[in-house]
Amino acid sequence: MAGPVSPLAPAAFPALPEIAGVRFAALAAGVRYANRTDVMLAELEPGSVVAGVFTRSSTRSAPVRDCEAKIGADTTRAAFLVNSGNSNAFTGAAGERSVAEICAAVAQTTGIDEARVFTSSTGVIGEPLPHERIVAKLAELNAALDPAGIEGAARAIMTTDTFPKGATETVSIDGKPVKIAGIAKGSGMIAPDMATMLVYIFTDALIDQPKLQSLLRKITDRTFNCITVDSDTSTSDTLLMGATGASGVDVTGNADYAAALERVMLDLAHQVVRDGEGATKFVEIRVTGATSDADARRVAMATANSPLVKTAIAGEDPNWGRIVMAVGKSGAEADRDLLSIRFGDILVAEKGWVSPAYDEEKAAAYMKGQEIVIDVDLGLGSGEAVAWTCDLTHRYIDINADYRS
């Protein structure tokens, strides 16, 4: 459905470790397309805690609202049920009934408390979810649960993605290994609030739910909330993390564990950008010298979201005037005569004018690479921020013009 695999894709899906206390299953339920794996079930053993971060869209979907209401400090068994092909968003009371019926059926099939069943849906907005197709497959899903089934789960949640996304880290704490494994989907309708994607992270770490919730939210702001493909925020953004505690290692306040989790989340966030619809360039935008971090973020996101900047990058054109434009429109405090811009190591503009040392040929050659770094220094203070985006090509139009066909 999404066409060729992105040229920015990793060489292969990573070898993700089994996470003690978690099992997965995936199969085709025909939610939208026949013979396409489109439903996954993850089961977490007793003692697990679940944390989550969700879209702040005012038109968020019924599954998101249900998950928001359920996130809490329980430590009983839990289940994540995810379908692709239909987002169950803007479906009114019918959408709420679909969520309720799926949760009740999962509870009946697995013996997991209905209040611990978390659902997500991704795909077309505004069409009733044929939840009966999912319910009809639950017994088969439950019977197929396997600790090694995470790759199948990653494939089941794809929509316009061209490759499944996974990341992992193992960190040693007090001489014992603690594992983290995550999967994600996302390709278009990608912008902060929170990141327009579905993400599921699993760990055998021991940590209480409020501490995990706080850690997850902080890291989200530095990872998933720093990416953008097209500036559009989804109705269905969901990040769920389950910690089984099976390792017996308490990671509360552990800096090494927090750093490992951040690496997993940043890896997944970058993979979403690398799979941006029609993307051929991965772009990092670094902003320094702002009066505050908030102002730096305004500049970074204004640049990352600019169609003019993104199409110039697609055309391999070192059009630094578009960066100047983005800074100016961002709303951040800026001074023309203090601003400097670099493409990679190439100083492009400084002191209100093109740099005397600027070499157009070198800049044009740099823009032909797949990895582009744009540095903007406002020269005003110590505020800084980073954002990641991709170029904007005609393929993006092709994918979205035909999305519902």
Side-chain angles (χ1 to χ4, degrees):
M1 178 173 137
V5 175
S6 168
L8 306 174
F13 188 81
L16 301 186
E18 293 182 12
I19 302 296
V22 188
R23 298 191 298 162
F24 303 89
L27 49 70
V31 173
R32 185 170 181 85
Y33 304 100
N35 304 315
R36 175 176 172 174
T37 303
D38 56 4
V39 178
M40 81 88 163
L41 176 66
E43 174 208 55
L44 289 82
E45 69 177 15
S48 299
V49 300
V50 176
V53 182
F54 307 96
T55 180
R56 289 190 282 263
S57 168
S58 58
T59 54
R60 56 195 182 279
S61 69
V64 169
R65 292 179 184 275
D66 187 63
C67 285
E68 286 177 319
K70 289 176 175 176
I71 289 293
D74 292 338
T75 57
T76 55
R77 292 173 68 207
F80 301 166
L81 188 289
V82 188
N83 76 269
S84 60
N86 182 307
S87 72
N88 194 17
F90 207 69
T91 47
E96 294 171 0
R97 283 195 298 273
S98 290
V99 171
E101 293 198 23
I102 290 171
C103 290
V106 170
Q108 182 175 9
T109 302
T110 64
I112 294 171
D113 190 327
E114 192 172 333
R116 293 281 283 170
V117 178
F118 301 88
T119 70
S120 304
S121 298
T122 181
V124 173
I125 294 171
E127 296 183 3
L129 176 67
H131 61 267
E132 67 282 353
R133 299 177 189 176
I134 298 171
V135 169
K137 293 287 186 176
L138 286 177
E140 188 178 345
L141 276 168
N142 190 50
L145 286 167
D146 183 345
I150 193 169
E151 181 175 352
R155 294 183 182 279
I157 63 178
M158 294 166 57
T159 51
T160 58
D161 304 63
T162 69
F163 62 88
K165 300 163 183 67
T168 184
E169 287 279 341
T170 298
V171 59
S172 179
I173 300 175
D174 297 330
K176 297 179 181 179
V178 181
K179 299 175 183 178
I180 307 167
I183 59 175
K185 67 82 53 182
S187 186
M189 206 184 286
I190 302 294
D193 253 351
M194 104 327 133
T196 322
M197 61 199 306
L198 298 184
V199 187
Y200 305 96
I201 300 173
F202 305 91
T203 181
D204 56 10
L206 181 64
I207 184 172
D208 68 27
Q209 197 277 340
K211 294 288 176 50
L212 181 62
Q213 182 67 46
S214 176
L215 180 63
L216 193 66
R217 186 170 294 282
K218 287 177 183 176
I219 299 177
T220 296
D221 282 341
R222 297 195 294 265
T223 56
F224 299 132
N225 278 345
C226 291
I227 65 171
T228 180
V229 167
D230 49 21
S231 81
D232 285 332
T233 297
S234 169
T235 57
S236 306
D237 305 353
T238 296
L239 163 56
L240 290 173
M241 182 170 179
T244 67
S247 69
V249 180
D250 191 339
V251 301
T252 304
N254 187 283
D256 291 339
Y257 181 81
L261 178 58
E262 185 156 353
R263 288 193 295 272
V264 168
M265 291 169 67
L266 189 59
D267 188 342
L268 292 172
H270 283 184
Q271 288 186 55
V272 170
V273 173
R274 291 178 181 278
D275 202 16
E277 291 169 345
T280 65
K281 312 278 188 184
F282 178 81
V283 185
E284 180 170 293
I285 298 166
R286 305 170 183 165
V287 179
T288 55
T291 57
S292 65
D293 289 348
D295 256 14
R297 179 177 171 81
R298 289 185 186 99
V299 171
M301 296 311 297
T303 306
N305 281 324
S306 167
L308 288 176
V309 172
K310 290 158 69 71
T311 49
I313 293 169
E316 301 179 340
D317 178 9
N319 190 341
W320 53 271
R322 293 184 175 179
I323 311 301
V324 174
M325 174 277 300
V327 173
K329 77 167 186 176
S330 69
E333 185 177 343
D335 184 323
R336 177 199 65 190
D337 296 333
L338 296 176
L339 177 67
S340 65
I341 299 168
R342 293 178 185 269
F343 292 156
D345 294 330
I346 302 166
L347 181 60
V348 175
E350 61 177 343
K351 299 176 182 177
W353 194 245
V354 64
S355 170
Y358 176 60
D359 187 321
E360 178 83 8
E361 287 188 11
K362 286 184 179 179
Y366 176 75
M367 300 301 286
K368 293 185 181 299
Q370 286 189 334
E371 311 266 339
I372 305 295
V373 177
I374 299 172
D375 274 299
V376 178
D377 191 332
L378 298 173
L380 295 171
S382 59
E384 58 184 19
V386 63
W388 294 276
T389 190
C390 58
D391 55 343
L392 181 61
T393 70
H394 201 283
R395 178 66 182 151
Y396 179 88
I397 299 171
D398 293 339
I399 292 169
N400 285 285
D402 294 336
Y403 183 66
R404 295 200 303 162
S405 60

